[in-house]
Amino acid sequence: GLGGCRAVNRRYIADTISVQYRTRASAAFVAAGALGMACGPLLASFFAGVDMKIGHVTVNEMTAPAWFMAIVWVFFGAAVVLRFREPSTTGHPKVAAAIDPRHDEMEGREVLGDS
């Protein structure tokens, strides 16, 4: 593909997963990406003999993988909209520090870089 929002996903892991499980969650994220990249060509090979027209739409071995993924992404998008709930970050030090840079000072922690 053309890449992805890996930085956003890793930030999400860092903000929502405890330190104890963060490495495991990050490894699972990387493994899922690698599995997707490995299985993509395999799934595309199943469409090798496809050649048909559905109305004005041509579905052949070149377009079938794209149509399949378009349908998968519609279902995935619907599942995200219907099922995803943003985890609470209330009181999370990193989030509070990102919102208010003085958070560490207010909590009595030394801020690096200050003299």
Side-chain angles (χ1 to χ4, degrees):
L2 297 174
C5 49
R6 292 184 186 273
V8 173
N9 294 333
R10 291 198 173 144
R11 176 62 193 232
Y12 186 80
I13 289 170
D15 285 348
T16 59
I17 305 294
S18 69
V19 175
Q20 181 181 359
Y21 297 107
R22 198 169 293 157
T23 301
R24 183 180 297 168
S26 187
F29 169 71
V30 171
L35 182 64
M37 287 183 272
C39 289
L42 175 66
L43 288 174
S45 71
F46 292 127
F47 299 109
V50 175
D51 190 16
M52 63 180 146
K53 265 187 131 38
I54 301 172
H56 295 294
V57 177
T58 300
V59 180
N60 58 28
E61 63 188 16
M62 298 300 287
T63 61
W67 285 113
F68 174 76
M69 287 309 300
I71 292 166
V72 167
W73 277 105
V74 165
F75 282 109
F76 178 72
V80 168
V81 168
L82 297 173
R83 305 276 304 165
F84 179 77
R85 299 291 176 258
E86 188 71 35
S88 172
T89 54
T90 305
H92 193 285
K94 280 187 181 178
V95 175
I99 294 170
D100 184 355
R102 298 169 298 152
H103 177 266
D104 285 335
E105 293 169 356
M106 290 185 285
E107 292 292 316
R109 290 189 285 269
E110 182 178 334
V111 179
L112 296 178
D114 287 351
S115 302

